[in-house]
């Protein structure tokens, strides 16, 4: 049986760069730097970064920066970090500063919709029945629900289209510092996401409604007219949502965006922000990413979950392809949907799949997306788009329906904790079929495909005000849902770190479902939910080494199979050879964009690096 080894780019640095932190008065390793920062540090390059400071030292660090003429773009007090642009050589100075705890790249984030080259393939599905999306989720044809639930859409904005009139409760532009502004969306992605969540379908005479048209939308703009932005703006928006949660009535955050993983979750600013939002009681729904295929031949790739989709507490959503039918029997994992495990920690992600292929919603007809994708236009101002972005929006809409149903039927005034929402979605999920694969299916589909009707039914049945440890089901539920004329059994499985937990019921209000618990390693409790301690998924994860697609870290197998990387920091394709011990290695481009090719054995001689 093959085993998997996941190593950080600290290992890679032995091959292509000097150590991450240069020698000096400060001991190596006392300040953490992500992979891209390490490369810029070693090369003395200018960088746009997030500098994390030690507790109580922020004001002192800001003052020292001011005296050196460095402008702090923003002090992210909730994250304990400063957004700054540093000149050449400055990284080396601040890496030695005693008040600096770590330095992270202010990474470029992008929307998780499919690239232009894939849009032309959607036209065959645009003509599918307008109510197909709702029927395949077990929802009634006529859209309703979500009243009073607030969803913060952190994206490219929201255009005030007729489908969204009366639904945009507030709008702030974080590409302009977070100022209150009139709703807008030059790219169009955020409007499409908002339409899937809460659109009325007005311009289509009700043909293309969203999942929860009664929900309130809080637009937090972080992406530009090309669907690109910075991690610092997303961080700013998440902090804003946490701080103004009560004032704006924010129950859910939708993050249909991300960037490649550059560092462990324990130091990643966006992951830490998601963890803080969850701890504050906000349900955070994130996209898994669209890196599920190897470039060129389209074969499945693993390890492509992006940040902040790798956040343990997030509900990370992959894309389900329904193949134009409401029947769930023919559902498959969308080929582009990022698969697990997560980088560094090897956790099971995504958590769940939701319809995300060729789903139709409103957008801004003057936006970049609409103008550049004529083949995707469904009717009027509607677009059929694919991606985990769309799947995430569908899930956020379902979460709104769950929250509303529980508020209405439990009558206790105690909100569903984020962990409870995740559990309900996973427990009621439906198994997704597809081609036989030697890879455990949870790395592709998590707990299974979204079952809106089942999740709403179970949310209605539990009483979150019940004391922890007590029975919390108010009435019995049948663990199956009728969809498209047939009964589909719930999977009754829950992802717990790197394991799958399963059992006969969730009748008790266990500590795991409270907001104070972040799901980590396996936990055993009670007679109804149990873990087989020998069933760690990674122990049986075989024959995947030829199918890795990734860009910013190192994956290997003990028996030396070929491994393909998607890209390194400058988007250059990279291919590794047969093994680390004795292999030809070809890099597409180096950090300074010059080609590099070196010898037969990494261990035998240091590689030459062009400057």
């Amino acid at each position: 049986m093959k085993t998997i080894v996941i190593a950080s780019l600290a290992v890679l640095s032995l091959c292509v760069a000097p150590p991450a932190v240069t020698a000096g008065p400060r001991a190596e390793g006392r300040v953490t730097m992500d992979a891209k920062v390490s490369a810029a540090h070693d090369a003395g390059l200018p960088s746009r970064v997030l500098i994390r400071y030690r507790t109580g030292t922020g004001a002192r660090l800001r003052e020292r920066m001011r005296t050196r003429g460095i402008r702090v773009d923003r002090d992210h007090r909730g994250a304990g970090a400063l957004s700054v642009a540093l000149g050449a050589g400055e990284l080396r100075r601040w890496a030695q500063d005693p008040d600096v705890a770590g330095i992270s790249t202010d990474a470029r984030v992008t929307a998780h919709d499919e690239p232009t080259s894939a849009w032309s393939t959607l036209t065959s599905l645009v003509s599918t029945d307008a109510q197909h999306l709702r029927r395949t989720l077990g929802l009634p044809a006529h859209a309703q629900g979500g009243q009073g639930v607030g969803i913060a859409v952190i994206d490219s904005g929201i255009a005030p289209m007729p489908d969204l009139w009366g639904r945009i409760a507030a709008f702030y532009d974080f590409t302009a510092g977070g100022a209150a502004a009139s709703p807008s969306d030059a790219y169009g992605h955020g409007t499409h996401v908002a339409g899937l969540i809460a659109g009325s379908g007005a311009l289509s005479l009700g043909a293309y409604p969203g999942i929860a048209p009664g929900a309130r939308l809080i637009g937090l703009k972080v992406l530009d007219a090309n669907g690109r932005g910075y991690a610092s703006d997303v961080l700013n928006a998440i902090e804003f949502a946490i701080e103004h949660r009560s004032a704006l009535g924010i129950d859910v955050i939708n993050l249909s965006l991300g960037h490649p993983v550059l560092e462990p979750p324990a130091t990643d600013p966006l992951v830490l922000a998601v963890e803080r939002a969850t701890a504050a009681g906000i349900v955070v729904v994130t996209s898994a990413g669209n890196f599920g295929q190897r470039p060129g031949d389209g074969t499945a790739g693993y390890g492509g979950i992006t940040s902040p989709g790798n956040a343990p507490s997030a509900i990370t959503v992959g894309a389900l392809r329904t193949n134009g039918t409401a029947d769930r029997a023919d559902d498959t994992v969308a080929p582009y949907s990022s698969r697990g495990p997560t980088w560094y920690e090897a956790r099971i992600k995504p958590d769940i799949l939701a319809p995300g292929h060729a789903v139709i919603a409103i957008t801004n007809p003057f936006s970049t997306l609409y103008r550049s994708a004529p083949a995707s236009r469904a009717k009027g101002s509607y677009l059929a788009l694919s991606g985990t972005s769309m799947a995430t929006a569908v899930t956020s809409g379902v979460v709104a329906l769950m929250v509303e149903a529980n508020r209405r039927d439990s009558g206790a005034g105690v909100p569903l904790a984020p962990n409870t929402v995740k559990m309900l979605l996973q427990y009621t999920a439906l198994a997704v079929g597809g081609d036989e694969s030697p890879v455990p299916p949870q790395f592709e589909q998590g707990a299974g495909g979204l079952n809106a009707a089942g999740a709403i039914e179970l949310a209605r049945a539990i009483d979150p005000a019940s004391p922890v440890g007590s029975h919390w089901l108010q009435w019995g539920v049948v663990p199956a849902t009728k969809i498209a004329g047939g009964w589909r059994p719930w999977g009754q499985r829950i992802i717990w770190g790197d394991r799958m937990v399963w059992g006969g019921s969730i009748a008790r209000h266990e500590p795991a479902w409270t907001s104070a618990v972040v799901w980590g390693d396996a936990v055993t409790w009670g007679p109804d939910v149990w873990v087989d301690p020998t069933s760690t998924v990674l122990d049986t994860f075989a024959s995947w080494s030829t199918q890795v697609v990734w860009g910013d870290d190192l994956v290997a197998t003990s028996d030396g199979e070929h491994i393909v990387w998607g890209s390194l920091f400058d988007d250059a394709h990279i291919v590794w050879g047969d093994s680390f011990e004795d292999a030809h290695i070809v890099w597409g481009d180096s950090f300074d964009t010059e080609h590099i090719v070196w010898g037969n054995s990494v261990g035998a001689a240091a590689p030459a690096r062009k400057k």
Side-chain angles (χ1 to χ4, degrees), residues 585-597:
I585 298 175
V586 179
W587 288 71
D589 289 282
S590 69
F591 300 118
D592 53 5
T593 72
E594 294 185 70
H595 293 286
I596 296 178
V597 179

Side-chain angles (χ1 to χ4, degrees), residues 105-117:
T105 304
D106 191 0
R108 275 288 200 175
V109 296
T110 57
H112 283 159
D113 54 81
E114 271 291 85
T116 305
S117 60

Side-chain angles (χ1 to χ4, degrees), residues 111-407:
H112 283 159
D113 54 81
E114 271 291 85
T116 305
S117 60
W119 285 340
S120 61
T121 66
L122 304 179
T123 53
S124 62
L125 293 179
V126 168
S127 60
T128 58
D129 178 72
Q131 297 296 342
H132 156 65
L133 176 61
R134 300 186 62 82
R135 292 210 322 274
T136 200
L137 293 172
L139 296 174
H142 299 290
Q144 55 187 339
Q147 277 74 15
V149 180
I151 301 178
V153 178
I154 300 178
D155 213 290
S156 61
I158 305 175
M161 298 298 295
D163 283 35
L164 301 171
W165 285 351
R167 290 161 174 78
I168 307 174
F171 190 89
Y172 298 86
D173 186 354
F174 290 90
T175 66
S182 298
S184 65
D185 183 11
Y187 184 54
H189 183 271
T191 304
H192 193 274
V193 164
L196 285 172
I197 294 172
S200 67
L203 283 182
S204 62
L205 301 179
Y208 303 121
I211 300 298
R216 300 165 47 257
L217 300 172
I218 298 91
L220 306 180
K221 180 179 178 179
V222 297
L223 303 180
D224 62 17
N226 296 309
R228 293 169 64 86
Y230 286 98
S232 57
D233 290 335
V234 180
L235 181 60
N236 194 1
I238 296 174
E239 290 177 330
F240 178 89
I242 296 171
E243 183 179 353
H244 296 86
R245 178 198 171 202
S246 297
L248 295 176
I250 297 174
D251 302 292
V252 183
I253 291 175
N254 187 97
L255 288 165
S256 291
L257 46 75
H259 66 74
V261 173
L262 297 171
E263 60 187 311
T267 57
D268 185 321
L270 287 189
V271 170
L272 295 175
V274 167
E275 300 301 289
R276 288 193 299 276
T278 302
I282 302 175
V283 181
V284 183
V285 188
T286 65
S287 53
N290 295 346
F291 300 101
Q293 289 177 293
R294 179 188 295 173
D297 63 13
T299 56
Y302 294 84
I305 303 295
T306 55
S307 171
N310 60 334
S313 69
I315 298 170
T316 305
V317 187
L320 186 70
R321 188 167 187 166
T322 61
N323 292 300
T325 71
D327 187 0
R328 302 299 291 267
D330 61 352
D331 289 357
T332 57
V333 181
Y336 47 79
S337 182
S338 284
R339 294 156 168 84
T342 62
W343 216 250
Y344 290 99
E345 294 187 325
R347 293 183 184 275
I348 299 173
K349 288 281 185 174
D351 294 302
I352 199 167
L353 300 180
H357 192 79
V359 288
I360 301 170
I362 195 71
T363 193
N364 176 8
F366 303 103
S367 66
T368 303
L369 269 179
Y370 189 88
R371 289 184 285 105
S372 62
S376 295
R377 297 173 188 171
K379 178 182 180 181
S381 298
Y382 293 86
L383 278 181
L385 296 180
S386 293
T388 57
S389 279
M390 288 64 246
T392 300
V394 170
T395 304
S396 289
V398 171
V399 170
L401 298 180
M402 294 166 63
V403 171
E404 181 208 19
N406 183 266
R407 285 175 178 172

Side-chain angles (χ1 to χ4, degrees), residues 312 345 347 419 495-499 501 517-523:
E345 294 187 325
R347 293 183 184 275
N419 277 357
I495 294 169
W496 195 276
D498 62 357
R499 300 171 187 257
V501 183
V517 177
V518 174
W519 292 11
D521 293 331
V523 171

Side-chain angles (χ1 to χ4, degrees), residues 365-592:
F366 303 103
S367 66
T368 303
L369 269 179
Y370 189 88
R371 289 184 285 105
S372 62
S376 295
R377 297 173 188 171
K379 178 182 180 181
S381 298
Y382 293 86
L383 278 181
L385 296 180
S386 293
T388 57
S389 279
M390 288 64 246
T392 300
V394 170
T395 304
S396 289
V398 171
V399 170
L401 298 180
M402 294 166 63
V403 171
E404 181 208 19
N406 183 266
R407 285 175 178 172
R408 182 182 63 241
D409 293 328
S410 72
V414 176
L416 292 173
N419 277 357
T420 301
V421 173
K422 180 189 279 191
M423 176 271 290
L424 297 173
L425 288 170
Q426 292 185 337
Y427 193 82
T428 59
L430 309 177
V432 178
D435 298 334
E436 290 296 322
S437 171
V439 179
Q442 46 265 51
F443 283 119
E444 298 183 323
Q445 61 180 267
L450 179 64
N451 172 12
I456 294 166
E457 179 185 1
L458 195 52
R460 290 180 57 231
I462 67 169
D463 179 8
S466 299
V468 174
S470 69
H471 189 93
W472 69 346
L473 281 179
Q474 300 179 93
W475 54 80
V477 293
V478 177
T481 300
K482 191 173 185 180
I483 296 177
W487 286 94
R488 307 289 297 181
W490 299 352
Q492 301 181 69
R493 296 186 174 190
I494 301 157
I495 294 169
W496 195 276
D498 62 357
R499 300 171 187 257
M500 189 72 80
V501 183
W502 62 95
S505 73
I506 50 163
R508 294 175 64 83
H509 187 183
E510 298 291 350
W513 314 138
T514 68
S515 59
V517 177
V518 174
W519 292 11
D521 293 331
V523 171
T524 304
W525 67 80
D528 294 324
V529 183
W530 58 277
V531 176
D532 177 358
T534 66
S535 66
T536 302
V537 172
L538 291 183
D539 290 343
T540 59
F541 193 9
S543 301
W544 75 298
S545 62
T546 60
Q547 299 174 322
V548 178
V549 177
W550 197 235
D552 302 286
D553 245 305
L554 187 58
V555 179
T557 52
S558 60
D559 55 356
E561 293 276 349
H562 289 281
I563 294 174
V564 178
W565 291 35
S567 63
L568 199 59
F569 312 123
D570 50 6
D571 295 328
H573 290 290
I574 298 166
V575 179
W576 286 83
D578 292 357
S579 72
F580 301 123
E581 291 76 18
D582 185 19
H584 292 281
I585 298 175
V586 179
W587 288 71
D589 289 282
S590 69
F591 300 118
D592 53 5

